[in-house]
Every structure is written in structure tokens, then in C-alpha cells.
Amino acid sequence: ENTDKNRASEENYMELIYVWINEYRCIHRQGFCLSPEFAVEMEDIGDGRYRLKIRDNGTASIFHDGPVTNLTVLVGENGSGKTTFLEYVQDLTCFSESIFRTGEGCYDSLARQQADGSKNVIVLREKGSLWVYTNLPKQAVEIDEKVKGSQVKVVNLCGDGEKAGRMLSNGDGFYDITSLYMTNSSYHLLGGSSSHKGLKSLVFSPVSLKAVSGTFFESICPEGRRLQKNRQTPNLLWLYSSFLKEQKGEGEFQQMCDVLFYHRLLESGAFREYAGFVQTDLIVNVKSVYDVFPGRWEDGEGRTGPAEAYETIGDRFGRLLNAYNRRLAKQSPAYVLKADFIAEYSLIHEDILKGAKTAVPGNDAETGAVPGKEEGAVAVPGRETGTAAPKQRQKAGPEWIEKVFDELGRQFDSASRREQGEEDFYFEEAYWEVQEFCELIEKLEPCENLVPVEDMAYKSGVHMTLDSQGGDHWRKNIRPEDLGKSSYAKICWFLAERIRENSRTRKGERLYGSFVLRYIAVGNLLFSSGERAFQNLMSWMAMGAELWETAGTEEYVPKKNVLLCMDEIDLYCHPAWQRDFIDNMLRIMRQAYRDYSVQVLLTTHSPLCLGDVPRENIIYLRNEGGRTVVDRDEHRQTFACNLYELLDDAFYLGHDTMGRFAKDYVDRLIRDIDTIQSGRDSSYRELQVRIERIGDSFLRRKLEQQLERQWRRMAPVRQQISRLEADRERLDRQIDKLRRQEEQKWKQT
């Protein structure tokens, strides 16, 4: 069904074919052709004038598969402009010169410089036609007569600021593209995002992840709907949620990206194939409200409400702390999550804390006294604690929070939704979410500890693991159907569904996002630098595909066409991973981006990455005097080329001498040669063209010899076909002659 959907929308996809840049940093008057189907060139004909030539090569991209429309790799030495080009297309624009005019003469030089830097030519395939956009003066660009016609449309924006502005404001033309830029490098110049009627560009990198995480955690506290300017006393839950959102950062966002990636692998059945890149032993923990809130409410900086409101929050949390068993909290994430739920609930319904006023844990190890507190002390964050005689207070065990939580469940069961307030709907959904999550983790093994629970070094949390047998036993023996039934898969599924709940918050269908995601922490995601770099790109790519469900605001919902730019894909990765990166990436993309049309731009310094890429899909760049030059010289075929010829040192590559994608291509080619059914010349020529893509000369020669042998074997068949076709022509002539004779008789009669 998804495949049919993609095929039905193929005519509507948008593909970037060519970009000519007048002046951008180290790139001066250079053109980049991104499609093997066309040869596009801007010919300099002197006096600042150019002739644009477009020729159809008649060669389809082998990467046009499902949601992927094309893939291009830029290679070249350091400083040759690879990253610069990716940064340019990340914010692809075509403005007229008039928008830079200020009307003030003192800014004329600046305006001219900005206008010169923005001049470009952009060729896209839109709805089956080629569209040429340019802001060069009309007399400066001459379109070759051969490419004019119904299939090529030209839009010249030079001097037409109104038209350019209308295109931008209406989202017409190539503004229907979302650019996703991803890199493990910390030295790029991009950051943040831009949007217009949906997401226009977004950057995933170690230095920009904080900005990206902000929109994801927007669902924790959607200020636009929660803030009521005329209220004298702000909603305590809103104020606390705003604090909670401020606590969230790139680390927790990366955890969610990783979990979503694991869920994608489990969902697609590819989890075992990525065994070397994923963690099969994760630690699930829950943060307490006391880890989030203590002390912060005293700080007046960044407050969105009066100090009294923050004092009230601290007071209510402090009263709950009287019944909070820290010993049990260290051992049971479920207990912590239920206490967090009651704490938040008390911000709307204070009466829930009545029982906590006299519920004070004892000071022994069994009941879990709070370290540093006298027996009977009432702990209120930010206040001096008072004391009371123990005989006046009733000791309570850890069951108080459990009882209150269960009582709230019965209350939600019996309450009429018409009688509930807006926040009560949030708490009702949150209650059942907490209940489901606690059932999932209750049977998991706690973290192994060599210290007593009272020790500060005691590790909290539970393990979700597939590796209970040790080593890679599970990968070799577990069946796919059993993998999906594991607690690991169930928790990944649960968290992935909660991540997608953001879309409901954005649409106004629920007040806040997932309650569990407000406090969940997934640990043991530390890797080597290479493992982390690989998983970063894969998990960011998975999150990028999910933005329409995970984004907290409409500004982060991607458009239907995605330009996926990945810079330095080989960074930190082992040569074996570089060799198979293209294949691993395409597998995830075909499954994750089924609802999009995706064009991929990659840069790399590693020849190992090129074994899966035909030279027609590679742009070679040179650095000449600090300027970028597109190298149009003939280069050797890289696709299905022996990697040892690309890089002599083996780097522990084992017996694999070409990329996995290329190997599958060669295997299919061999099968097609052996099972050739048709004796037609077109079949022979088609196989010849496929063989010509093979870069390894020995392998190519052997395939050519195999095709010749098979073709000679088909000679008797071809001869018989020729004789039968000749007989058919002779019989057709006889039939025609008889019909004419019969018609003549009828006329005479």
C-alpha cells in the first residue's frame, strides 16, 4: 500500500537538478549538477553573459527507489567547498535584487554585495517538468534553444521584487522543500532552524541539538495556550511545567532519538542486522520532582509568575515529601513515577495532600528516613524545617503513595467527563499512561549494585535487555517473532508512541504531552566515538522522518519534499562501517520516509563510501587558490569497484571487496544473464549497459564473457524466431491478397 502511494505521487515530487552559484564564500561562478539523468552547464560567453545548456542523458538514477528520488556524493580535498555547498542549499533561495535596495545611498555598496552574493540559477524537476529559476539579469542568461519548450519552464525573478516576495509568502515554487542538515562535526556554521508554512530547514549536530530539542519538549508546556494574561494567580501546573521544560536538554532529546531509532529497527525487522550499532542493554530510570524542582523556585531569574506561586509549589511538594520513602524510590522507578503524578496532581487539587500531613516515615532503614532530617521533620523545599513530637504524628510506610494513586484511578473511573476540568483530562490520560508503563517495568531486573541502598553510589533503575545469555547469543539465536515480544521491544514501542503524542498536543487534542516523557531517563547509551557518530546520524534521520508527529509546533512540521544533507558521513566511523554506510542509510530511509520524497546529498573524505555510488552520482571538487572548482575530468568507475583498488590498506575489511548494495547489484546482474529469456537485441544492450557500470575491470570482463556465452547459446532461438517472423510476414501477405481478391469478387457481383 505504501509503495503504491509513493508511485502514485511520483509526478508530484520535487528534485533539485542543478545549482549555479555566482558568489558564496569560496564558491564563485560554479555549477553543480546533482542528477545523472541530465547534463547541465552554464557556459560563459563573455561580457557577464551565460548560456544555460540542459541535455537529457537518458540514464536513470539507480537510487530512485521508493521514497528516495536520488543520491549525490560530493568528494574532494579539504577546503574544496563540500560543506560550503551543503550549507548553501540548506537555505536555498532565489531573491530579486530589488529586495536589497534600501533607498539610502550610504548602503548602496552593501546592497550590491548582498545582491551579487545571492545571484544564482536553480533547476528543479517539479510535477514532471524542469523549472529554471534565476535572478540574473534577463539579458545575462540565454536558454539553449534545444531545452526550450513545454518540458522546461523559466522563471526570471530579476527586478521583480513583488513576484519574488509573493513566491516566498505563498510558499510557491521550490519553497516546498524541507532541508535537513546533519553532521557530527562541531565546526559547521549553521544552527537552529527556519520555517515558513511548515519547516524550511533544520540542523542536527552536537552544537545545535539544544535548539532542536526545544521544539520537541514544547509539548511539556505549550505556553501559547497556557498563558492567560488577565489571571492574577498563574496556574501552578503551568508554572511547574515551564520549569520542567527548562530542565530538558540535548541529552534527553538524544535519548528519545535513539529509542525512536531502535523502534524503527524493531518495526522493520532490521534490528538484528544493526546489532553492532545499537545498545541491547538499556537502563530505564525515572526522575523525581525533587530532582527537578528543589532550589529553582527561589531564583527570581526567568520567572513567568509571582514569587508566591513558586513558594506554593515548594510547599505542596514538601508536604508530599513527608510520605515519600527515599529508600524505596531508589529501588523502584514505578514508585517514583506514581509520586511524581501525585505531586503534579496536588498543584491543581491540594486536598490530595491531606493524608500526607500526618504521614511521616520513620528514621530506620526499613521505612526509609530522609538522611539529615530529624524524626518528625516536615521537609519543604526552600524553607526551614520545623519539628514536632513523634507521638503526635502517625508513622506511615511506603504504601501511602500507592494507596493514593489507586484511589485516584477509581476516581477517574467513576468521574463524569462533563464534571472534570481541563487539567483533569490531562491527569486522567496521564494516570493510565503511568499505569501501563509501571506494568511494563515491574518485571525487569533492577540495576546491579555492590553497595547498600543507603549509599550515595547506589544505582537506581531497571534493565531492559536482549542480551541475557551474554555475548551476542541473542543475535544468533533469537527469532524475529520472539524479538518483537520481548520487554525491550515493548518498552521501545511504548516510548515511541508517547513521543508521537506531540502531534495531539500541537493539534489541541490534549493539554500537555506525555507524562512519562516528562520524567523518563534512558541510560547506558554511551558508545565509542565511532558508534556514537553512526547512531547520531541514523537516530537523527529517524527523528527527522517523525517530525510531523513529534514536533511541538506547526513550524517544525516538514513539507512533503525533503532534501537530506549529511556532511562527512565517514567522521569517526570504522572503515567497515564507511563501506556499508550507504546501504545502512537507505534501509532506514525506505522504511522511515515512506510518506515523503527524499533527495540525499552526502559529503565524505573516504573512498570506502564510494563503492556503492556510481561515478555519475559523484561531484568531484578541487581547491584552486582558495576557490572551489568543479572537476569535470573523466574519473574511474567507482560503483561495484574493488575497495582494495580504492584504498590499498585493508583496514580489517575481511573478505568483502565491494559495498553491500553493489554486491547485491552484481548478484542480480549475474542471475539476469544466466536466466535471459528474450533473444531480442534490446535485452542484450540493456545487460551491456548494466555491466559497464562495474568498476572492477576483472569482474567486468568476466561478466561480459558470460553474457557473450549466453548470447551465443541463444543463437538457435534467435534464428528460429527470425524464421517464424519471416513465415508470419509471408502468411500475412497471402491473407491480404486473398482478402483483396474476395472483395473484388463482391464488387463485380
Side-chain angles (χ1 to χ4, degrees):
E1 180 181 352
N2 287 321
T3 302
D4 293 340
K5 180 178 179 181
N6 275 305
R7 287 174 178 169
S9 62
E10 275 191 355
E11 289 300 316
N12 296 321
Y13 77 84
M14 188 178 296
E15 181 184 357
L16 185 60
I17 302 296
Y18 178 79
V19 179
W20 182 87
I21 302 172
N22 181 54
E23 184 178 326
Y24 180 72
R25 293 168 54 194
C26 62
I27 303 176
H28 293 257
R29 291 175 289 283
Q30 292 293 311
F32 301 78
C33 188
L34 306 176
S35 172
E37 298 184 43
F38 300 94
V40 188
E41 182 182 0
M42 279 277 281
E43 180 185 359
D44 189 343
I45 56 179
D47 298 326
R49 298 172 60 243
Y50 299 89
R51 180 178 292 114
L52 180 64
K53 296 181 177 181
I54 304 176
R55 185 180 72 251
D56 190 335
N57 289 330
T59 304
S61 172
I62 66 172
F63 296 107
H64 194 162
D65 181 11
V68 181
T69 60
N70 194 19
L71 181 147
T72 305
V73 180
L74 288 88
V75 299
E77 58 187 314
N78 282 328
S80 58
K82 300 183 299 297
T83 300
T84 302
F85 178 73
L86 288 192
E87 292 175 353
Y88 185 87
V89 299
Q90 175 68 12
D91 191 25
L92 198 62
T93 55
C94 190
F95 294 130
S96 70
E97 185 174 347
S98 61
I99 70 170
F100 298 105
R101 297 171 187 161
T102 64
E104 301 180 33
C106 57
Y107 290 101
D108 286 349
S109 297
L110 176 61
R112 281 195 298 271
Q113 183 186 49
Q114 291 175 326
D116 288 341
S118 72
K119 293 186 185 303
N120 55 19
V121 175
I122 299 168
V123 181
L124 296 105
R125 175 158 44 194
E126 300 179 51
K127 299 180 180 179
S129 298
L130 292 183
W131 286 74
V132 179
Y133 297 90
T134 180
N135 52 14
L136 287 171
K138 293 183 180 180
Q139 66 273 16
V141 181
E142 175 186 324
I143 307 297
D144 188 31
E145 290 294 335
K146 295 180 181 179
V147 303
K148 287 184 178 180
S150 59
Q151 296 304 311
V152 179
K153 307 179 187 301
V154 181
V155 179
N156 194 305
L157 301 174
C158 180
D160 194 346
E162 181 180 349
K163 186 172 184 179
R166 188 166 61 250
M167 285 183 59
L168 180 62
S169 61
N170 294 335
D172 294 338
F174 58 85
Y175 293 107
D176 198 30
I177 296 177
T178 291
S179 299
L180 299 179
Y181 181 96
M182 301 176 187
T183 180
N184 280 301
S185 172
S186 300
Y187 298 102
H188 65 92
L189 300 179
L190 298 177
S193 63
S194 65
S195 63
H196 175 73
K197 293 186 177 181
L199 185 63
K200 189 172 185 297
S201 65
L202 183 62
V203 178
F204 289 87
S205 73
V207 295
S208 67
L209 213 57
K210 175 65 176 177
V212 182
S213 68
T215 184
F216 175 79
F217 292 117
E218 180 71 20
S219 63
I220 290 179
C221 180
E223 296 101 328
R225 294 193 297 275
R226 300 280 62 80
L227 182 59
Q228 299 182 31
K229 296 180 180 179
N230 297 327
R231 293 184 64 170
Q232 297 298 320
T233 304
N235 183 303
L236 295 181
L237 179 59
W238 181 86
L239 288 176
Y240 172 68
S241 295
S242 67
F243 266 122
L244 197 60
K245 187 178 71 170
E246 291 170 10
Q247 291 290 305
K248 299 294 184 180
E250 58 270 27
E252 288 170 292
F253 176 68
Q254 185 62 58
Q255 292 173 15
M256 297 301 101
C257 291
D258 290 344
V259 168
L260 199 61
F261 172 51
Y262 294 168
H263 175 253
R264 277 288 181 185
L265 294 180
L266 290 163
E267 191 176 49
S268 64
F271 193 89
R272 296 198 301 177
E273 298 177 28
Y274 287 77
F277 312 126
V278 300
Q279 276 288 9
T280 58
D281 185 11
L282 300 178
I283 297 175
V284 179
N285 209 347
V286 176
K287 289 186 177 182
S288 166
V289 294
Y290 305 110
D291 296 328
V292 177
F293 193 75
R296 288 184 57 84
W297 66 276
E298 294 181 354
D299 186 357
E301 295 183 5
R303 282 180 176 168
T304 54
E308 294 79 5
Y310 294 91
E311 187 174 328
T312 302
I313 295 174
D315 175 72
R316 295 189 187 181
F317 286 0
R319 285 152 62 188
L320 177 64
L321 187 58
N322 291 332
Y324 188 73
N325 190 301
R326 287 192 180 274
R327 177 188 179 92
L328 182 57
K330 282 187 172 185
Q331 299 170 303
S332 173
Y335 177 83
V336 177
L337 194 58
K338 292 176 181 179
D340 290 343
F341 179 86
I342 295 171
E344 283 201 17
Y345 190 82
S346 73
L347 299 180
I348 302 298
H349 301 285
E350 183 182 5
D351 56 349
I352 196 69
L353 297 175
K354 289 181 179 179
K357 292 180 180 178
T358 57
V360 181
N363 59 2
D364 56 17
E366 291 299 319
T367 55
V370 181
K373 301 291 183 184
E374 298 180 8
E375 185 178 357
V378 181
V380 180
R383 292 186 173 185
E384 296 296 329
T385 57
T387 58
K391 63 181 181 180
Q392 297 177 350
R393 296 186 179 269
Q394 173 188 356
K395 288 185 178 181
E399 68 279 358
W400 186 87
I401 284 177
E402 296 279 358
K403 289 179 178 178
V404 172
F405 183 79
D406 292 341
E407 178 59 34
L408 285 173
R410 288 188 289 272
Q411 178 179 315
F412 291 131
D413 269 339
S414 60
S416 168
R417 297 188 71 87
R418 289 179 298 178
E419 299 173 356
Q420 292 179 298
E422 190 178 26
E423 279 81 10
D424 288 320
F425 291 142
Y426 158 68
F427 282 115
E428 182 176 353
E429 286 189 322
Y431 177 87
W432 299 116
E433 183 183 322
V434 171
Q435 187 82 307
E436 181 182 356
F437 185 70
C438 290
E439 291 174 359
L440 285 174
I441 65 174
E442 65 180 357
K443 296 181 180 180
L444 298 181
E445 291 292 327
C447 292
E448 183 179 359
N449 279 281
L450 301 178
V451 297
V453 67
E454 295 84 2
D455 197 293
M456 294 292 290
Y458 187 88
K459 297 178 182 178
S460 299
V462 293
H463 277 287
M464 46 182 279
T465 182
L466 290 170
D467 201 11
S468 58
Q469 301 297 322
D472 60 352
H473 177 274
W474 71 271
R475 183 169 59 86
K476 295 179 179 178
N477 297 282
I478 194 169
R479 297 177 301 176
E481 56 269 27
D482 295 333
L483 185 63
K485 297 175 183 177
S486 66
S487 59
Y488 183 99
K490 290 178 180 178
I491 291 178
C492 284
W493 176 87
F494 175 88
L495 293 178
E497 290 303 303
R498 302 290 80 73
I499 292 170
R500 293 168 180 149
E501 285 289 290
N502 275 3
S503 61
R504 290 184 58 203
T505 308
R506 188 178 69 248
K507 297 172 184 176
E509 297 175 1
R510 61 182 294 167
L511 191 63
Y512 298 102
S514 164
F515 182 88
V516 170
L517 294 188
R518 292 159 79 92
Y519 299 100
I520 191 72
V522 180
N524 202 33
L525 284 166
L526 299 176
F527 299 91
S528 69
S529 58
E531 291 169 330
R532 182 71 266 175
F534 177 88
Q535 188 162 306
N536 277 349
L537 294 179
M538 294 298 165
S539 64
W540 295 341
M541 187 169 60
M543 178 60 80
E546 296 275 4
L547 281 172
W548 69 282
E549 287 189 299
T550 63
T553 62
E554 291 293 340
E555 289 76 15
Y556 279 80
V557 177
K559 301 174 184 180
K560 63 181 179 180
N561 296 289
V562 173
L563 184 63
L564 182 62
C565 303
M566 288 190 179
D567 194 19
E568 298 191 67
I569 57 176
D570 55 287
L571 198 62
Y572 304 121
C573 289
H574 184 276
W577 293 7
Q578 297 173 20
R579 177 196 63 204
D580 296 329
F581 183 90
I582 300 291
D583 186 70
N584 288 322
M585 179 194 68
L586 290 175
R587 287 169 182 262
I588 294 296
M589 291 188 66
R590 293 189 191 107
Q591 201 274 335
Y593 285 83
R594 288 174 294 185
D595 297 320
Y596 300 92
S597 292
V598 188
Q599 183 175 359
V600 185
L601 297 182
L602 309 173
T603 75
T604 182
H605 288 107
S606 172
L608 296 170
C609 296
L610 302 183
D612 279 343
V613 184
R615 64 185 171 191
E616 296 84 3
N617 292 77
I618 300 174
I619 297 177
Y620 296 87
L621 303 179
R622 298 198 311 268
N623 182 344
E624 294 186 0
R627 297 285 182 88
T628 295
V629 174
V630 177
D631 183 2
R632 293 183 175 83
D633 293 340
E634 187 70 19
H635 291 271
R636 65 166 298 158
Q637 181 57 270
T638 53
F639 186 72
C641 182
N642 190 319
L643 294 182
Y644 291 95
E645 295 184 19
L646 290 174
L647 189 66
D648 292 333
D649 197 344
F651 279 101
Y652 306 101
L653 292 180
H655 300 291
D656 294 325
T657 59
M658 65 179 68
R660 191 188 305 162
F661 182 85
K663 182 177 182 299
D664 291 342
Y665 179 94
V666 172
D667 290 341
R668 289 194 302 271
L669 179 56
I670 293 173
R671 288 196 300 270
D672 291 345
I673 292 174
D674 288 340
T675 59
I676 185 172
Q677 298 295 325
S678 172
R680 296 184 181 276
D681 292 343
S682 59
S683 300
Y684 178 79
R685 287 195 297 272
E686 179 188 349
L687 290 170
Q688 279 185 317
V689 170
R690 291 170 63 183
I691 291 173
E692 288 173 0
R693 286 199 177 107
I694 305 300
D696 183 85
S697 57
F698 178 79
L699 176 59
R700 185 172 63 249
R701 187 165 58 253
K702 287 296 183 182
L703 290 173
E704 289 171 344
Q705 292 172 357
Q706 182 179 352
L707 176 61
E708 288 298 326
R709 287 195 299 270
Q710 192 70 5
W711 188 249
R712 285 195 296 271
R713 292 193 191 102
M714 295 290 293
V717 176
R718 292 198 303 277
Q719 293 170 0
Q720 185 177 0
I721 291 174
S722 298
R723 287 195 300 270
L724 291 173
E725 287 178 343
D727 290 341
R728 183 174 61 185
E729 291 177 1
R730 180 175 54 78
L731 291 172
D732 287 341
R733 288 194 299 271
Q734 290 179 355
I735 291 171
D736 289 339
K737 181 178 180 181
L738 291 172
R739 283 175 176 169
R740 286 193 300 270
Q741 291 174 353
E742 187 69 19
E743 288 174 359
Q744 188 67 27
K745 289 180 180 179
W746 277 102
K747 289 179 180 179
Q748 292 174 355
T749 304

